[in-house]
mmCIF file of all heavy atoms in Angstrom:
data_model
loop_
_atom_site.group_PDB
_atom_site.id
_atom_site.type_symbol
_atom_site.label_atom_id
_atom_site.label_comp_id
_atom_site.label_asym_id
_atom_site.label_seq_id
_atom_site.Cartn_x
_atom_site.Cartn_y
_atom_site.Cartn_z
ATOM 1 N N MET A 8 -91.308 -108.068 -86.568
ATOM 2 C CA MET A 8 -90.033 -107.385 -86.719
ATOM 3 C C MET A 8 -89.717 -107.219 -88.300
ATOM 4 O O MET A 8 -89.801 -108.141 -89.008
ATOM 5 C CB MET A 8 -89.016 -108.112 -86.040
ATOM 6 C CG MET A 8 -87.616 -107.421 -86.090
ATOM 7 S SD MET A 8 -86.407 -108.568 -85.700
ATOM 8 C CE MET A 8 -85.564 -108.605 -87.288
ATOM 9 N N ASP A 9 -89.444 -105.948 -88.608
ATOM 10 C CA ASP A 9 -88.901 -105.723 -89.922
ATOM 11 C C ASP A 9 -87.634 -104.939 -89.847
ATOM 12 O O ASP A 9 -87.233 -104.574 -88.812
ATOM 13 C CB ASP A 9 -90.020 -105.072 -90.804
ATOM 14 C CG ASP A 9 -90.287 -103.608 -90.323
ATOM 15 O OD1 ASP A 9 -89.315 -102.845 -90.103
ATOM 16 O OD2 ASP A 9 -91.545 -103.268 -90.119
ATOM 17 N N ASP A 10 -87.109 -104.619 -91.012
ATOM 18 C CA ASP A 10 -85.760 -103.959 -91.034
ATOM 19 C C ASP A 10 -85.784 -102.476 -91.291
ATOM 20 O O ASP A 10 -84.803 -101.973 -91.630
ATOM 21 C CB ASP A 10 -84.828 -104.755 -91.908
ATOM 22 C CG ASP A 10 -85.308 -104.662 -93.385
ATOM 23 O OD1 ASP A 10 -86.456 -104.008 -93.608
ATOM 24 O OD2 ASP A 10 -84.642 -105.188 -94.314
ATOM 25 N N ASN A 11 -87.004 -101.929 -91.192
ATOM 26 C CA ASN A 11 -87.102 -100.518 -91.406
ATOM 27 C C ASN A 11 -86.931 -100.039 -92.810
ATOM 28 O O ASN A 11 -86.616 -98.859 -93.072
ATOM 29 C CB ASN A 11 -86.411 -99.596 -90.329
ATOM 30 C CG ASN A 11 -87.014 -99.564 -89.096
ATOM 31 O OD1 ASN A 11 -88.218 -99.549 -89.005
ATOM 32 N ND2 ASN A 11 -86.209 -99.485 -88.049
ATOM 33 N N MET A 32 -91.801 -104.674 -83.029
ATOM 34 C CA MET A 32 -90.574 -104.447 -82.341
ATOM 35 C C MET A 32 -89.911 -103.204 -82.871
ATOM 36 O O MET A 32 -89.843 -102.926 -84.026
ATOM 37 C CB MET A 32 -89.631 -105.577 -82.591
ATOM 38 C CG MET A 32 -88.291 -105.473 -81.877
ATOM 39 S SD MET A 32 -87.221 -106.855 -82.190
ATOM 40 C CE MET A 32 -88.006 -108.187 -81.328
ATOM 41 N N ALA A 33 -89.482 -102.255 -81.906
ATOM 42 C CA ALA A 33 -88.671 -101.108 -82.258
ATOM 43 C C ALA A 33 -87.368 -101.609 -82.718
ATOM 44 O O ALA A 33 -86.705 -102.458 -82.175
ATOM 45 C CB ALA A 33 -88.518 -100.291 -81.033
ATOM 46 N N TRP A 34 -86.873 -101.072 -83.872
ATOM 47 C CA TRP A 34 -85.782 -101.650 -84.484
ATOM 48 C C TRP A 34 -85.013 -100.515 -85.109
ATOM 49 O O TRP A 34 -85.581 -99.757 -85.965
ATOM 50 C CB TRP A 34 -86.043 -102.746 -85.540
ATOM 51 C CG TRP A 34 -85.022 -103.573 -85.979
ATOM 52 C CD1 TRP A 34 -84.321 -103.527 -87.137
ATOM 53 C CD2 TRP A 34 -84.434 -104.672 -85.251
ATOM 54 N NE1 TRP A 34 -83.312 -104.529 -87.187
ATOM 55 C CE2 TRP A 34 -83.396 -105.122 -86.048
ATOM 56 C CE3 TRP A 34 -84.660 -105.196 -83.995
ATOM 57 C CZ2 TRP A 34 -82.516 -106.286 -85.597
ATOM 58 C CZ3 TRP A 34 -83.920 -106.171 -83.545
ATOM 59 C CH2 TRP A 34 -82.909 -106.766 -84.350
ATOM 60 N N PRO A 35 -83.684 -100.437 -84.873
ATOM 61 C CA PRO A 35 -82.932 -99.220 -85.585
ATOM 62 C C PRO A 35 -82.876 -99.371 -87.078
ATOM 63 O O PRO A 35 -82.677 -100.532 -87.534
ATOM 64 C CB PRO A 35 -81.596 -99.331 -84.947
ATOM 65 C CG PRO A 35 -81.405 -100.719 -84.326
ATOM 66 C CD PRO A 35 -82.925 -101.176 -84.069
ATOM 67 N N ALA A 36 -83.001 -98.344 -87.798
ATOM 68 C CA ALA A 36 -82.904 -98.348 -89.156
ATOM 69 C C ALA A 36 -81.546 -98.782 -89.695
ATOM 70 O O ALA A 36 -80.515 -98.545 -88.991
ATOM 71 C CB ALA A 36 -83.230 -97.018 -89.761
ATOM 72 N N SER A 38 -79.860 -101.691 -89.840
ATOM 73 C CA SER A 38 -79.078 -102.427 -88.871
ATOM 74 C C SER A 38 -79.130 -104.061 -89.236
ATOM 75 O O SER A 38 -79.564 -104.833 -88.499
ATOM 76 C CB SER A 38 -79.536 -102.214 -87.467
ATOM 77 O OG SER A 38 -80.913 -102.574 -87.377
ATOM 78 N N PRO A 39 -78.724 -104.320 -90.501
ATOM 79 C CA PRO A 39 -78.804 -105.748 -90.861
ATOM 80 C C PRO A 39 -77.987 -106.664 -90.011
ATOM 81 O O PRO A 39 -78.231 -107.867 -89.970
ATOM 82 C CB PRO A 39 -78.374 -105.665 -92.364
ATOM 83 C CG PRO A 39 -77.613 -104.480 -92.500
ATOM 84 C CD PRO A 39 -78.202 -103.521 -91.505
ATOM 85 N N LEU A 41 -77.859 -106.833 -87.018
ATOM 86 C CA LEU A 41 -78.584 -107.247 -85.765
ATOM 87 C C LEU A 41 -79.604 -108.199 -86.144
ATOM 88 O O LEU A 41 -80.328 -108.769 -85.304
ATOM 89 C CB LEU A 41 -79.023 -106.046 -84.996
ATOM 90 C CG LEU A 41 -77.981 -105.133 -84.448
ATOM 91 C CD1 LEU A 41 -78.676 -103.931 -83.764
ATOM 92 C CD2 LEU A 41 -77.021 -105.929 -83.450
ATOM 93 N N ASN A 42 -80.012 -108.341 -87.432
ATOM 94 C CA ASN A 42 -81.101 -109.152 -87.902
ATOM 95 C C ASN A 42 -80.550 -110.490 -88.334
ATOM 96 O O ASN A 42 -79.932 -110.667 -89.396
ATOM 97 C CB ASN A 42 -81.860 -108.433 -89.086
ATOM 98 C CG ASN A 42 -83.098 -109.117 -89.422
ATOM 99 O OD1 ASN A 42 -83.277 -110.183 -89.105
ATOM 100 N ND2 ASN A 42 -83.942 -108.359 -90.047
ATOM 101 N N MET A 91 -74.782 -113.286 -81.668
ATOM 102 C CA MET A 91 -75.443 -112.030 -81.410
ATOM 103 C C MET A 91 -74.949 -111.221 -80.281
ATOM 104 O O MET A 91 -74.815 -109.985 -80.466
ATOM 105 C CB MET A 91 -77.039 -112.347 -81.177
ATOM 106 C CG MET A 91 -77.749 -112.529 -82.504
ATOM 107 S SD MET A 91 -77.460 -111.372 -83.772
ATOM 108 C CE MET A 91 -78.364 -109.976 -82.957
#
Side-chain angles (χ1 to χ4, degrees):
M8 184 195 111
D9 65 49
D10 61 1
N11 281 328
M32 179 183 288
W34 197 256
S38 59
L41 298 177
N42 189 342
M91 286 306 294

